[in-house]
């Protein structure tokens, strides 16, 4: 159903004054309702609505939906090479992700690290690579530990630390083999051959 057009503001200052006069809880509820309405329009999270869904859910009390739509908006932005927007979305999603949700945090850091790599932001990429390694260790997942080691190797190669890159690639091969991840092992072997 189409929303009822009750108010139409002719000037943005009037709109801002009206918005700011609402109680925080009322604003959050209205953003939640608008997010729910947009979700019905989106029909399967259509990319055209992700920015709006992320915007409204982020301003609602529904942090799980906000985190989900910020992540999806980041993925779409990264796919379009809107790298600054992608980093912003991933960073905001990460801020809403509980510290205890290690796997989700790993996925967000990995996505952001990939964007940093594309941008050539080596300092930020290096910090993200270290975070990946720490999160993979906490999870104790051999495949993720292998991926983190591979990302460390790629990063080492990009910044000219070739000895470190080789050691990390060898670790990635060993971890992938130990985890029974043949594809990851092959990718790590390929990295060793650069």
């Amino acid at each position: 159903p189409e929303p009822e057009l009750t108010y139409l503001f002719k000037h943005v200052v009037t709109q801002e004054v009206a918005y700011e006069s609402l109680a925080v809880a009322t604003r959050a509820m209205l953003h939640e309702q608008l997010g729910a309405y947009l979700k019905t329009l989106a029909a399967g999270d259509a990319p055209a609505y992700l920015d709006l869904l992320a915007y409204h859910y982020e301003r609602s009390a529904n942090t799980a939906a906000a985190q989900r739509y910020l992540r999806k908006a980041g993925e779409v932005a990264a796919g379009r090479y809107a790298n600054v927007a992608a980093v912003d979305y991933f960073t905001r999603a990460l801020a809403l992700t509980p510290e205890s949700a290690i796997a989700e945090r790993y996925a967000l850091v990995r996505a952001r690290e990939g964007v940093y790599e594309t941008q050539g932001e080596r300092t930020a990429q290096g910090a993200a690579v270290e975070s990946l390694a720490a999160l993979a260790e906490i999870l104790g997942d051999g495949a993720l530990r292998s991926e983190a080691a591979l990302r460390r190797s790629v990063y080492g190669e990009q910044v000219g630390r070739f000895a470190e890159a080789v050691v990390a690639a060898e670790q990635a091969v060993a971890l992938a083999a130990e985890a029974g991840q043949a594809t990851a092992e092959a990718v790590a072997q390929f990295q060793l051959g650069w």
Side-chain angles (χ1 to χ4, degrees), residues 113 116-117 120-127 129-130 150-166 168 191 194:
E113 184 269 334
Y116 286 144
E117 179 185 17
E121 293 287 344
R122 299 296 176 233
T123 302
Q125 182 187 3
V129 164
E130 292 308 313
L150 179 64
R151 298 309 306 156
R152 190 179 307 118
S153 177
V154 169
Y155 171 73
E157 178 186 1
Q158 290 169 334
V159 296
R161 297 182 193 152
F162 300 111
E164 291 175 27
V166 169
Q191 176 65 17
W194 51 260

Side-chain angles (χ1 to χ4, degrees), residues 23-101:
V24 174
T26 303
R27 281 187 266 174
M29 179 199 61
L30 290 172
H31 281 293
E32 173 89 25
Q33 289 176 350
L34 189 51
Y37 173 73
L38 289 170
K39 199 161 93 171
T40 62
L41 287 180
D45 300 336
Y49 289 94
L50 286 176
D51 290 340
L52 286 171
L53 284 163
Y55 175 85
H56 288 291
Y57 277 117
E58 191 174 20
R59 283 153 183 78
S60 77
N62 191 342
T63 55
Q67 190 271 350
R68 183 173 60 251
Y69 287 112
L70 284 166
R71 179 179 176 177
K72 289 180 181 185
E75 290 166 353
V76 169
R80 292 181 177 157
Y81 293 98
N83 296 323
V84 173
V87 166
D88 181 56
Y89 284 128
F90 290 138
T91 300
R92 287 164 41 205
L94 200 55
L96 294 176
T97 305
E99 292 290 329
S100 60

